C-alpha cells in the first residue's frame, strides 16, 4: 500500500495514467491509505460501449471473503452481462482519514468514471461532499442513508432480519444453551446484527445465554481486519461454554472460524456464504451464514444506470425483497430448515417484527 492522500492537482493531472494503476504522493501527516487497485481491479478499456464504473472498497477490499467480496461479485456480474467499458477498484487503508476517502472518490470522478460505488458507511461524508462537486456523476453508497443528494443512491439492508434467522439456527443447534456474537466495531450498523441475532436465539429458547464482544470501538475500525482479535474473542466464548458463535466482523471473522475449529464448536458466517468462501480447512465449522446480498444491490444499481432507471435516495433490501437470507451450504441446517423458513415467513408477512437495536 502506498502512503498518504492525493492532492487535488495531482489527481487531476495524472488521472489518465493512474486509473490503470493508481499512485500516491504528498506529505507524511496522513495515516496509511491505499490508492492501488485491489485484486482483479482495473480492466483495460475494450470495445464495450457501456459505462466506466468506479468502485471504492471498505477496509479489506476484494478478497476479504465477506462484505467487500460480495460487492465485487456484483461488479463481476455487471462486467459479464452489461458490457462495461472499463472498471477501476480502489481499496481503503487502516486508519485513513475521511480526506483520503474523498480523494479516492474524487480521483475516480476526475478520471471519467460514472457511476461510482462506495462500499461501506465510512464513506458517508466523503460521498456527500464529492457528489456535490460532481453533480453529473451518479454515486451509490452501501449501508448508509445519511449521504443525501439528487445524484446519490443509498443501498440499505435489513441485517437484523437475516440475523434473526441465524440466531434461531444457533439456538436450535446449541447443545449447551449458550451462544456468542462477535462484532467487528461497535457502531449502529453492527448493532443491528447483534439485535437480530439475540432476538432470534431467544425466540427459540428464552433462557439461552448470549455472549457479546466487540473487537474495537470507533474511531478504531481495525476490528474489521484483525483475525487475531477475532480468534481471541471467540476463544474466550468457547472456553466459557458457548458452542456456536456468530461473527459480524469482516476480515476478522476468519479468526472466529479458527477458534471454532480448535474448540470443536460451530460458527456462523456473514454477508457471503462463507462455507464456500472461507479457507477450505475452516469451511466445515460454518453451519450457516447470514447472507447480505450486496452483490444484488450493486448489480441492480449498475443495471439501472445502463437503462437510465437509477433513483436517488434509499432502497432497502430486506427478507421480503430477498436482500438477506441464511445459507444451507454443507447441509448442517437441513434438519431445522422448516423451522427457520417458518420464522422467515412470519417476518415477511409482518406477523413477527425484528428489533434493529439492542436498546
Amino acid at each position: 500500500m502506498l502512503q498518504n492522500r492525493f492532492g487535488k492537482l495531482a489527481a487531476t493531472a495524472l488521472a489518465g495514467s493512474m486509473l490503470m494503476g493508481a499512485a500516491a504522493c504528498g506529505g507524511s501527516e496522513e495515516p496509511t491509505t491505499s490508492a492501488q487497485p485491489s485484486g482483479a481491479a482495473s480492466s483495460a478499456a475494450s470495445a464495450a460501449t457501456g459505462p466506466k464504473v468506479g468502485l471504492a472498497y471498505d477496509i479489506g477490499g476484494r478478497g476479504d471473503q465477506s462484505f467487500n467480496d460480495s460487492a465485487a461479485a456484483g461488479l463481476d456480474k455487471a462486467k459479464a452481462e452489461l458490457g462495461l467499458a472499463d472498471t477501476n477498484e480502489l481499496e481503503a487503508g487502516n486508519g485513513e482519514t475521511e480526506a483520503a476517502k474523498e480523494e479516492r472518490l474524487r480521483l475516480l470522478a476526475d478520471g471519467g468514471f460514472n457511476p461510482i460505488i462506495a462500499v461501506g458507511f465510512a464513506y458517508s461524508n466523503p460521498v456527500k461532499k464529492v457528489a456535490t462537486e460532481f453533480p453529473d456523476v451518479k454515486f451509490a453508497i452501501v449501508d448508509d442513508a445519511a449521504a443525501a443528494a439528487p445524484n446519490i443512491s443509498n443501498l440499505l439492508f435489513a441485517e437484523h432480519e437475516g440475523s434473526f434467522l441465524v440466531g434461531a439456527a444457533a439456538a436450535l443447534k446449541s447443545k449447551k444453551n449458550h451462544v456468542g456474537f462477535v462484532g467487528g466495531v461497535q457502531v449502529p450498523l453492527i448493532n443491528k446484527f447483534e439485535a437480530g441475532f439475540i432476538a432470534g436465539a431467544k425466540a427459540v429458547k428464552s433462557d439461552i445465554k448470549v455472549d457479546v464482544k466487540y473487537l474495537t470501538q470507533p474511531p478504531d475500525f481495525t476490528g474489521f481486519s484483525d483475525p487475531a482479535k477475532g480468534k481471541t474473542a471467540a476463544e474466550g466464548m468457547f472456553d466459557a461454554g458457548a458452542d456456536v458463535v456468530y461473527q459480524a466482523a469482516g476480515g476478522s471473522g476468519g479468526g472466529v472460524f479458527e477458534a471454532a475449529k480448535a474448540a470443536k464448536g460451530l460458527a456462523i458466517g456473514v454477508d457471503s456464504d462463507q462455507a464456500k468462501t472461507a479457507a477450505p480447512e475452516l469451511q466445515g465449522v460454518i453451519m450457516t451464514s447470514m447472507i447480505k446480498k450486496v452483490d444484488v444491490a450493486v448489480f441492480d444499481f449498475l443495471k439501472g444506470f445502463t437503462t437510465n432507471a437509477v433513483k436517488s435516495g434509499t432502497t432497502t433490501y430486506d427478507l421480503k425483497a430477498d436482500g438477506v437470507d441464511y445459507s444451507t451450504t454443507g447441509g448442517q441446517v437441513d434438519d431445522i430448515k422448516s423451522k427457520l423458513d417458518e420464522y422467515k415467513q412470519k417476518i415477511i408477512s409482518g406477523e413477527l417484527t425484528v428489533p434493529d437495536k439492542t436498546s
Side-chain angles (χ1 to χ4, degrees):
M1 288 187 181
L2 302 178
Q3 302 288 325
N4 311 317
R5 57 175 289 198
F6 292 89
K8 171 73 171 173
L9 274 176
T12 303
L14 298 178
S17 61
M18 286 192 297
L19 288 169
M20 292 302 293
C25 60
S28 59
E29 74 277 6
E30 298 286 349
T32 301
T33 184
S34 171
Q36 293 183 333
S38 60
S42 184
S43 64
S46 66
T49 58
K52 292 174 62 178
V53 177
L55 194 148
Y57 289 115
D58 205 346
I59 294 172
R62 183 188 279 265
D64 73 345
Q65 301 177 349
S66 185
F67 179 63
N68 289 293
D69 268 358
S70 186
L75 180 63
D76 290 344
K77 182 179 180 183
K79 288 179 186 179
E81 298 184 17
L82 302 179
L84 306 184
D86 195 8
T87 63
N88 198 24
E89 303 169 46
L90 303 180
E91 181 180 330
N94 281 327
E96 71 178 18
T97 63
E98 287 193 348
K101 288 181 170 60
E102 287 175 20
E103 291 299 341
R104 183 173 301 114
L105 298 173
R106 195 173 288 117
L107 173 65
L108 292 168
D110 276 331
F113 286 84
N114 181 20
I116 296 170
I117 302 169
V119 183
F121 63 86
Y123 280 98
S124 181
N125 289 331
V127 163
K128 186 174 182 179
K129 183 173 182 179
V130 178
T132 301
E133 297 172 13
F134 296 88
D136 294 329
V137 176
K138 297 293 187 184
F139 291 81
I141 182 168
V142 178
D143 282 349
D144 175 72
N151 57 331
I152 298 176
S153 300
N154 310 82
L155 310 179
L156 308 180
F157 296 84
E159 295 91 353
H160 54 302
E161 293 183 353
S163 295
F164 181 100
L165 298 179
V166 298
L172 289 165
K173 285 290 186 176
S174 177
K175 297 177 181 178
K176 298 182 179 180
N177 205 36
H178 188 173
V179 299
F181 171 84
V182 175
V185 183
Q186 192 165 11
V187 292
L189 174 66
I190 306 304
N191 184 248
K192 288 176 68 178
F193 291 83
E194 178 196 346
F197 179 73
I198 293 173
K202 290 189 175 294
V204 174
K205 298 176 181 175
S206 61
D207 62 342
I208 194 169
K209 183 177 181 180
V210 184
D211 294 333
V212 175
K213 174 70 175 179
Y214 284 90
L215 303 181
T216 62
Q217 300 289 324
D220 180 1
F221 286 88
T222 61
F224 291 128
S225 57
D226 193 335
K229 281 185 179 177
K231 183 176 182 179
T232 298
E235 284 174 341
M237 292 178 181
F238 286 118
D239 288 346
D243 55 358
V244 183
V245 175
Y246 174 37
Q247 62 85 14
S252 300
V256 175
F257 301 151
E258 291 176 4
K261 182 178 181 181
K264 294 182 172 54
L266 292 172
I268 297 174
V270 73
D271 294 336
S272 299
D273 184 352
Q274 293 194 286
K276 294 180 178 178
T277 64
E281 67 273 15
L282 300 176
Q283 292 177 4
V285 305
I286 303 170
M287 58 173 263
T288 186
S289 296
M290 195 288 281
I291 302 176
K292 177 175 171 178
K293 299 184 181 180
V294 179
D295 56 330
V296 173
V298 167
F299 180 82
D300 284 353
F301 170 74
L302 293 176
K303 184 176 181 180
F305 182 88
T306 64
T307 58
N308 296 314
V310 166
K311 68 174 184 177
S312 62
T314 62
T315 299
T316 300
Y317 291 81
D318 56 11
L319 272 177
K320 188 173 184 178
D322 196 30
V324 293
D325 209 338
Y326 69 96
S327 66
T328 59
T329 299
Q332 297 193 58
V333 295
D334 286 356
D335 58 328
I336 59 171
K337 188 176 185 303
S338 61
K339 184 63 176 177
L340 298 181
D341 287 345
E342 181 182 334
Y343 281 123
K344 182 177 178 179
Q345 290 306 314
K346 286 182 178 180
I347 295 169
I348 290 172
S349 70
E351 180 182 346
L352 180 58
T353 301
V354 181
D356 61 3
K357 57 177 65 73
T358 54
S359 60

